[in-house]
Every structure is written in structure tokens, then in C-alpha cells.
Amino acid sequence: MATATDLFISIGIRSVGVDRLIAESSVARATFFRHFPTKDDLVVAFLETQASDARRRLTLIRDQGPGGARAVLGEIAAGAKAGMDRTGFRGCEFINTAAEYCDPEHPVRVVVDRHRAWVRDIMADALSDLGHPDPDGTAEVLFTLRTGAVVASSLEGFRDSGGAFDRAWWGLVDQR
């Protein structure tokens, strides 16, 4: 799983073949296929692990007490900006995977869509906790802003040196 995670994040899912995964992880072919009958099974496991880690981290932040709702939104904003300071940033594994797996019924895409919906939901819950007048609509806009920032920083080198992302993000969060 560690080898798959490194390769999927650094090069992409479709461009990494099973033979390379087996060779670089130093596992026997039979062992690989015993755990993951298909490459898609490995991709699902990879995404489920990534999603579980994110859910655990954001839930812990939310449950930290007063300020937890705002801290969740801050963590999501920070995640959107993480690539702005990294050379060679390839973007979010869920956004990238959604681009590689377009069929909404495909098991891999189902995991992607379920995780992205969960992130929107925790943002809406946080906005609701803050007394926001339109938590669901604003969560959708924030999620779109986040997605755009990640894609722009990975494809176009967006760096936001003027702080426009933060002004837009917190302006939406703090509207009354």
C-alpha cells in the first residue's frame, strides 16, 4: 500500500501498472493478487485509506471544543493552499482520480464522490455551527473555491501571493 500511495500521488493512477507496483513493492505476484484481485481493488483501498485519514483528522479538529468549527474550515483552506508552495505539486488525489475515472458508477469513482460529499458536509456542518445564514450553499461555493485553487496551483502554478484566496474564503465564511 505504501508503494501504491507514493506512485499514485506522484505519477497518477492510470500511468502506474501492476507490474511496476509489484516490482517496486517487492511482493510476490501471487501475494499482490491475493490482497488485490484487480488494480481497481488496490485503487479503492488507497482512496479509502486517504479518505479515512482525512475524516479522522478533520473530525478530531472539529471535536477539539470551542473554535473547532472554524478550525475545520481553516484546515480545509490550508489543504487547498498546500500546493501553492510546493514545486511539482500534482494536486489532490481525489480530484486527479475523478479526472481519470469518469464513470460515476465505477467503484473507484464512487469512493471519490463519497469522500468529496463528506468534505462538503463537514464544511456545511461547521458553517451551521458558526451560525452562517446559508451553510449548505456556502459550503458548495467554498468547495468549488477549494477545488479551483488546488487545480490552479497544480496545473498553472497559482501561488496567491496577494492573499486573494484567504480573503475570498474567510469572506464567505464570515458573511452574516
Side-chain angles (χ1 to χ4, degrees):
M1 185 60 76
T3 301
T5 298
D6 290 344
L7 290 172
F8 291 163
I9 289 174
S10 66
I11 349 183
I13 291 171
R14 298 264 185 186
S15 61
V16 177
V18 170
D19 290 337
R20 182 172 182 181
L21 287 163
I22 290 169
E24 291 195 26
S25 64
S26 301
V27 298
R29 189 171 201 77
T31 301
F32 178 89
F33 285 110
R34 184 172 42 250
H35 292 284
F36 306 105
T38 68
K39 180 181 168 188
D40 286 344
D41 292 317
L42 175 61
V43 174
V44 165
F46 157 72
L47 291 171
E48 289 285 6
T49 300
Q50 298 296 106
S52 176
D53 291 347
R55 286 190 301 268
R56 187 174 23 263
R57 185 177 68 256
L58 289 174
T59 300
L60 181 66
I61 291 169
R62 181 195 63 204
D63 294 345
Q64 72 185 5
R70 192 167 181 83
V72 163
L73 296 168
E75 179 71 12
I76 294 168
K81 296 178 354 179
M84 294 179 195
D85 298 325
R86 291 195 337 238
T87 303
F89 176 66
R90 283 200 11 87
C92 166
E93 60 272 26
F94 291 94
I95 294 170
N96 293 343
T97 302
E100 292 189 48
Y101 290 83
C102 297
D103 176 4
E105 304 297 319
H106 192 284
V108 168
R109 184 59 185 263
V110 168
V111 174
V112 168
D113 293 344
R114 185 174 55 232
H115 176 66
R116 290 177 56 81
W118 184 88
V119 173
R120 275 191 306 275
D121 289 347
I122 198 170
M123 289 193 316
D125 291 347
L127 289 163
S128 183
D129 290 348
L130 293 171
H132 196 281
D134 182 16
D136 293 328
T138 302
E140 191 68 37
V141 174
L142 288 172
F143 197 74
T144 301
L145 181 62
R146 176 208 176 275
T147 300
V150 169
V151 171
S153 61
S154 66
L155 296 179
E156 300 163 3
F158 177 64
R159 296 294 174 252
D160 192 31
S161 57
F165 176 86
D166 281 330
R167 283 192 305 279
W169 184 272
W170 295 111
L172 289 164
V173 169
D174 293 333
Q175 80 182 84
R176 297 285 171 226

